[in-house]
Amino acid sequence: MLWLVLSVVLLSSGCFAQSDDEEAAQIWVDQYNQDVQGVYFDYVSADWTYNTNITDHNSQLANEKAAESAAFDNQKAIEANNWDWPNFQNESLKREFSKIADMGYAALSDEDFNNMTKLNSNMTTIYSTATVCNKPGDTNGTCYPLDPDLEEVMSSSRDWDELVWAWEGWRNESGRKMPDTYEQFAELLNKAAVINGYADNGEYWRSWYESADFRQICENLWLELKPLYQQLHAYVRSKLRDIYSGHTFPGTGHIPAHILGNMWAQSWLALEQEMRPYPNKTGLDVTDELIKQGYNNTGLFLLAEDFFVSLGMDPMVDNFWENSMIEKPTDGREVVCHASAWDFYNGIDFRIKQCTRVNTEWLITTHHEMGHIEYFMEYKHQPVQFRDGANPGFHEAIGDVIALSVSTPNHMESIGLLPEGADDPEVDMNFLMSEALKKIAFIPFGYLIDQWRWDLFGEEFDRNNYNGAWWDVRCRYQGISPPVTRSASGDFDAGAKYHVPANTPYIRYFVSYVLQYQFHKAMCDAANYVGPYHRCDVYKSNEAGDLLRAMMETGASRPWPEILEQMTGSRNMTAQPLIDYFQPLMDWLIEENADETLGWDETGCPVGSIVP
Ligand code: X8Z
Ligand code: ZN
């Protein structure tokens, strides 16, 4: 859009014509690729320093480097538009130019850009350094951070009041401190989007999926998956009613949000033991075994690495082991604990930052993060603009698709983390339940965060109802309700979830949870696997590895439907492989839920739970 405006002005003035010399354009872009790596390296390095040592000074340095990088992006976008790139014959070159010409937030004035990054780091700092004090029964004045203490309470406590303390306290100390900052921040994001020719920042974010009807595509996928979620929801609700029998649940059918084993009710895996279909058979939580066998954090990383290498991918490089932060520092430094994987754009420096603990969830998260690193390494030969996922959901799916194999009872048995006897239909059902508590439980959560943000950017609601609108989607999609009254304007519970203050778009995870089952099926087929896909383990399969690697090394150099087609035979995202994978569990749940009323009142939260 911007390019069109410029070109009309310049061409009609008759003083300047854009060049269609593709050879010269190639030379220019080669030089660009030389230069941009250093600029991005400097920015990523400063950002890493801030993330692993939160101080005002480091925050300022990172923001300065962000500004330098934005100024560079801005300048290069202008230069790129000296070419008539939309009419290039070479599709790849045209695509590369289109990405360089997309200024993103660099389109803002220096002042706006600096304000934007400051507001962003203020929120990230609040989130990452918040602590909650006054735990019921404590007399020693201890205050607890989210990671590991509050997360540990949320997953292991079954004490209603203690859970309310952690749930409410976390929201008071994090989100509640940010709504005004977030309002200003969103205005700046929208301002950049409008300069770039988008209606608002939500439309800009959705443009990364290169599909005109992306919002509708997501809605359709959600509707396909909703019946699975409703079955799981009804089953878990009835078990929780037994566990918390002294407490009244809302008559509307919602589940109180604080008893699902997770601060955001996004994964219910912590309830695995209580939800096990066959309680006398082996469960899938390997935490005790990991500890018994003396695994440490590095041990989890080595397990993950071994699987990727078995598929023909590269091991982690020395730089990775030397520079990654794989546990929470004990030297008093404040850090951003939320797990992330980092590409330094120099082809040799890749890092993970996470506050690992030895348990089943971290074993899976470690695979997730290493999947990002493997993707970085597979596409490192690409021009910088193509060093990205085919779409953001692809990036989130790599490690998860590996974890689908790793988690199978057979694989766990083969690496000595589960006792023999995995080949049992009842163990199988226990396994599918544990997978559902991770994956099916997540689907509406993965969907709703950006429903809320897209609507906020689109000004569908205003500052007075930031939290009211948040709870609208929480109650409607997840069928959960706040355990204590929330204020529509005073609280800001969205800000208590990392990706909102950190400004990481979220629909990518929803997309990934659909795609990873498409990938898994394709890889199992490539490995000539025969049988139900939930039992498929592609460990050591060159064929599965080659298929995945062919997708990964393509990066973002072509539109994702082409890349998806090459891998799976389909140009579309489809929920069918996910639905098929869980079919045996669904059949079991339908019988189990025969006497349950499915669903909840989808018009909103229980009356009185949200006040102005
Ligand atoms: O943020 C993450 C990863 C980093 S990309 C740890 N995830 C989402 C979350 O934690 O909310 C992975 C699953 C969803
Ligand atoms: Zn990720």
Side-chain angles (χ1 to χ4, degrees), residues 266 338-339 365 368-369 372 396 442 497 499 506 509 513:
Q266 67 179 72
H338 191 89
T365 301
H368 175 95
E369 295 305 330
H372 288 304
E396 299 305 335
F442 181 82
K497 173 67 196 163
H499 301 68
Y506 211 81
Y509 303 108
Y513 275 45

Side-chain angles (χ1 to χ4, degrees), residues 68-85:
E68 283 172 25
S69 166
F72 177 89
D73 286 347
N74 188 304
Q75 174 60 29
K76 293 300 156 187
I78 293 169
E79 288 177 27
N81 285 326
N82 287 337
W83 268 274
D84 181 18
W85 57 263

Side-chain angles (χ1 to χ4, degrees), residues 441-450 506-511:
F442 181 82
I443 297 285
F445 184 76
Y447 185 51
L448 70 83
I449 292 198
D450 282 351
Y506 211 81
I507 198 71
R508 59 186 55 179
Y509 303 108
F510 175 79
V511 168

Side-chain angles (χ1 to χ4, degrees), residues 33 47 86 111 137 258 287 309 316 331 459 532 591 609:
N33 276 300
D47 199 24
E111 191 189 344
H258 66 311
T287 302
V309 170
M316 298 297 105
D331 57 6
E459 293 172 7
E591 251 179 60
S609 59

Side-chain angles (χ1 to χ4, degrees), residues 13 418 446:
S13 70
L418 279 186

